[in-house]
Amino acid sequence: MSTALLFPLTGAALFVMGVAGLLLQPHLLRKIIAFNIMGSGIFLILVGLGQRGGSPDPVSQAMVLTGIVVSVAATGLALALARRLLDLTGKMQLPVPGEDAARDGPDA
Amino acid sequence: MLPGTDRMPDVIPWLILVPLVWASLAFLRGPGRGGRLALAGLAVQTGLAVKLAMQISISGVQSHAVGGWGAPLGIDLYADGLSAILLLLTQVVVLLLVVYARAYFIAHPEGVSYFWPLTGYLLAAMNALFLSADIFNIYVTLELLGLTAVGLVAARGGTESVGAAMRYLLAGLMGSGLFLLGVALVYGTYGTVSIAVLAPLIEAEAPSAVFVAVGAMLVGLLLKTALFPFHFWLPPAHGEAPAPVSALLSALVVKASFYLILRLWLQPFAPLVTTAAAQLLGLLGMAAILWGSAMALSQTRLKMLIAYSTVAQIGYLFLLFPLVTVTSQEAAESALQGGVMQVVTHALAKAAMFAAAGTVILSLGRDDIGGLGGVASRLPVSIFAFALGGITLAGLPPSGGFIAKWLLIDGALNSGQWGWVVVMISGGLLSAAYVCRVLRRAFLPMEAGARFNSPARALEWSAFTLALMSLLLGVRSAEVLILLGIR
């Protein structure tokens, strides 16, 4: 198999694994890692399909760099929210809506 | 006029720079600060958006190469009639919401946190999204929009809001991940991400990878637009946030991803879309109208009712796809006009309704619908604003919502798809039902011993102005539709 196909196919496999993890794992840290795996899969597809005739393509590399910056920012925000949830509920999981409504009380 | 002097200064980059600048200044001033900066910034932005709309109506579509670099390594910005309408709508709605939020956070200071800088960054992302000319830049702006919106939802810090923000973030990341996958496949196939360059290439040849790409992008954007059955994240995120944030998210943020679906559906991917896909979107829209309305009817909390009403109204937007796809030019045109009018009037009406609800909740200190008794006599302006918003949602004349639904029905009849007319009319009746459920309570006498604080006048009148605009748009819709025609 040529490397031209190897990169996008590996990327697709990583993407599918990432999506599955994001949907199926209840633990928030696992969800966040799964999101990063999903992102890496997309970047691999972008770089792999971008190289034509073996020479790397600067535009797709610039896009991947931008994508990495975005996903680092998103991961940071997700980790901050997950920590806050851990402090508030003692669990690294999404709270069930309505469960804690009584404690928060009505508010605007 | 001399040939050189009619070159008007470029307003396009300033629509993105101005909010970035005032948001950063507001951030440096610390939590809770920056309301005045926001007001000044929004006044300038509204002026810029008006100017852009005038330039477009005089001399056609406008474009701008950022820093003079130009595509493919630089970024091109582009504005046509549709972008101008959404830019203008965004600045006007946020300008009024800024007036509202300043008064709201004086009465409710613990919820403010970094509201002002986040709103500024949100606006910069949204304006950049409406001005993007390539699908990768769209991905970046979509992600920025999502992250700032999550920040706004989380700002209150309780379990419910942080949980809703986390759910919103994960759904959003999944959505933009799917979109980026589509971008990667499109770039791999055609070697470009520019919408204008892609259109003829896709028309000439579309290998199967492109169909996968379009599917992934569509599902990603549907997730972000919260079309049924992807709506699960919306009611908690919009219902838990402070009222100005709910208004911002429900009125504008979901419209940004809808705008992208519409733009991509009509422009580069038009040769690929099939009747089956369009009918499927229409059916999901119908399910959203019925499910969202039914859920709104069974809510006990006011803001959750309005949030579910957003789920239903988003459904209306998707009824336009079966009408614009593979039908006569005439039917497609009036359906498109109806859809865009629905975007505009729903944004104004929903902002007004969330703002009015926020005032009611601030004054009563509770947000259950059962405790609304006596509100109509104490807060007549807010309840009037809520009712005017409801008239627009239900599509009664002379509101803008009436024109929107009229044009959509016209498109449905012209293309012989009268089944959708039944959906549109029953959706209107259902909206009237849940709006009246709130109004009926509001006109009952006040409970004995109920607490009541008089709100600031700015709270009531900013909501009223939004509602009035959604109503008056029915009379002044021609201007919007002329602008929409410039492509």
Side-chain angles (χ1 to χ4, degrees):
Chain A
M1 192 196 296
S2 66
T3 49
L5 220 60
L6 187 64
F7 284 119
L9 286 181
T10 315
L14 284 176
F15 178 82
V16 172
M17 281 159 65
V19 170
L22 200 50
L23 290 176
L24 302 176
Q25 295 286 349
H27 195 282
L28 284 176
L29 201 55
R30 283 171 184 256
K31 275 189 195 289
I32 294 168
I33 292 170
F35 156 69
N36 277 280
I37 293 174
M38 181 184 100
S40 308
I42 302 170
F43 299 151
L44 212 51
I45 295 175
L46 200 47
V47 170
L49 287 180
Q51 54 173 4
R52 279 153 209 285
S55 61
D57 173 16
V59 177
S60 70
Q61 296 197 351
M63 287 198 269
V64 169
L65 277 178
T66 315
I68 289 172
V69 173
V70 170
S71 76
V72 167
T75 307
L77 179 60
L79 286 173
L81 288 177
R83 266 211 66 175
R84 190 59 186 262
L85 271 180
L86 182 66
D87 289 346
L88 288 166
T89 63
K91 277 182 282 185
M92 265 305 237
Q93 282 180 10
L94 282 174
V96 182
E99 204 175 47
D100 298 295
R103 203 175 57 210
D104 274 11
D107 207 344
Chain B
M1 199 188 285
L2 289 167
T5 52
D6 64 348
R7 232 189 81 88
M8 288 167 277
D10 238 335
V11 298
I12 289 180
W14 292 105
L15 273 167
I16 303 167
L17 277 176
V18 171
L20 270 182
V21 168
W22 69 252
S24 303
L25 289 175
F27 177 73
L28 291 176
R29 298 196 61 198
R33 309 294 298 275
R36 226 173 294 159
L37 279 169
L39 197 58
L42 254 313
V44 174
Q45 283 162 239
T46 310
L48 289 173
V50 170
K51 189 153 198 258
L52 181 64
M54 280 162 60
Q55 284 183 1
I56 287 174
S57 56
I58 294 167
S59 48
V61 293
Q62 306 280 315
S63 62
H64 177 88
V66 177
W69 283 93
L73 274 176
I75 296 167
D76 277 351
L77 299 173
Y78 165 92
D80 61 5
L82 180 59
S83 352
I85 291 171
L86 281 153
L87 284 166
L88 201 53
L89 170 74
T90 304
Q91 317 310 315
V92 169
V93 170
V94 180
L95 178 62
L96 285 162
L97 284 179
V98 163
V99 174
Y100 176 83
R102 287 187 68 197
Y104 181 91
F105 287 123
I106 287 170
H108 195 269
E110 64 271 28
V112 58
S113 182
Y114 282 105
F115 173 82
W116 297 110
L118 282 169
T119 303
Y121 292 131
L122 181 106
L123 270 173
M126 197 136 58
N127 288 353
L129 187 147
F130 293 137
L131 291 166
S132 290
D134 70 76
I135 51 177
F136 185 75
N137 204 38
I138 285 174
Y139 159 73
V140 175
T141 55
L142 199 58
E143 199 77 290
L144 287 176
L145 182 62
L147 295 184
T148 46
V150 168
L152 284 169
V153 172
R156 236 177 56 211
T159 311
E160 294 282 294
S161 13
V162 178
M166 190 78 207
R167 210 174 286 275
Y168 185 18
L169 176 64
L170 293 173
L173 289 179
M174 176 85 109
S176 44
L178 281 164
F179 187 84
L180 185 61
L181 177 69
V183 174
L185 291 174
V186 168
Y187 184 76
T189 310
Y190 297 112
T192 178
V193 286
S194 154
I195 291 177
V197 179
L198 276 173
L201 291 174
I202 291 173
E203 193 143 20
E205 191 196 358
S208 53
V210 180
F211 283 90
V212 177
V214 173
M217 288 164 102
L218 182 61
V219 173
L221 289 173
L222 291 180
L223 194 56
K224 286 222 161 221
T225 317
L227 177 65
F228 181 90
F230 303 116
H231 67 285
F232 57 91
W233 57 266
L234 185 146
H238 291 194
E240 286 304 329
V245 175
S246 314
L248 208 57
L249 297 181
S250 252
L252 300 170
V253 174
V254 287
K255 305 294 161 43
S257 42
F258 173 76
Y259 159 85
L260 293 179
I261 300 178
L262 187 61
R263 164 131 286 170
L264 297 176
W265 187 280
L266 294 176
Q267 257 180 356
F269 299 131
L272 305 183
V273 297
T274 58
T275 323
Q279 295 287 334
L280 179 66
L281 284 185
L283 285 174
L284 290 179
M286 180 180 87
I289 293 175
L290 298 177
W291 175 257
S293 305
M295 290 302 284
L297 278 170
S298 66
Q299 292 303 307
T300 54
R301 291 174 50 205
L302 182 56
K303 282 179 68 190
M304 287 304 266
L305 180 144
I306 308 175
Y308 273 106
S309 145
T310 297
V311 172
Q313 296 290 321
I314 286 168
Y316 268 106
L317 300 177
F318 285 88
L319 295 184
L320 89 89
F321 290 104
L323 309 180
V324 294
T325 309
V326 211
T327 54
S328 70
Q329 191 66 36
E330 195 188 343
E333 194 56 34
S334 71
L336 177 65
Q337 292 178 341
V340 173
M341 278 301 283
Q342 169 72 9
V343 168
V344 175
T345 54
H346 175 254
L348 291 163
K350 194 48 64 80
M353 288 169 85
F354 261 124
T359 312
V360 169
I361 294 164
L362 269 186
S363 307
L364 296 178
R366 53 194 282 191
D367 87 335
D368 55 315
I369 296 168
L372 285 178
V375 171
S377 56
R378 300 289 186 98
L379 298 172
V381 178
S382 290
I383 289 301
F384 196 32
F386 189 90
L388 285 182
I391 284 175
T392 297
L393 294 195
L396 297 180
S399 68
F402 168 73
I403 303 286
K405 272 148 211 171
W406 178 266
L407 286 165
L408 281 170
I409 287 174
D410 188 47
L413 292 177
N414 264 329
S415 60
Q417 306 183 59
W418 54 268
W420 299 118
V421 176
V422 181
V423 179
M424 288 167 203
I425 291 174
S426 40
L429 289 175
L430 283 166
S431 349
Y434 59 71
V435 170
C436 287
R437 205 178 137 230
V438 175
L439 292 180
R440 189 183 76 88
R441 280 284 171 184
F443 280 96
L444 291 177
M446 193 154 213
E447 283 174 38
R451 194 157 73 81
F452 184 84
N453 306 311
S454 286
R457 285 174 61 176
L459 284 173
E460 294 216 272
W461 287 99
S462 51
F464 182 76
T465 312
L466 282 164
L468 196 65
M469 286 169 74
S470 78
L471 190 78
L472 291 182
L473 207 64
V475 192
R476 308 292 305 176
S477 56
E479 283 83 351
V480 179
L481 298 180
I482 290 169
L483 200 53
L484 178 63
I486 302 170
R487 262 167 287 179

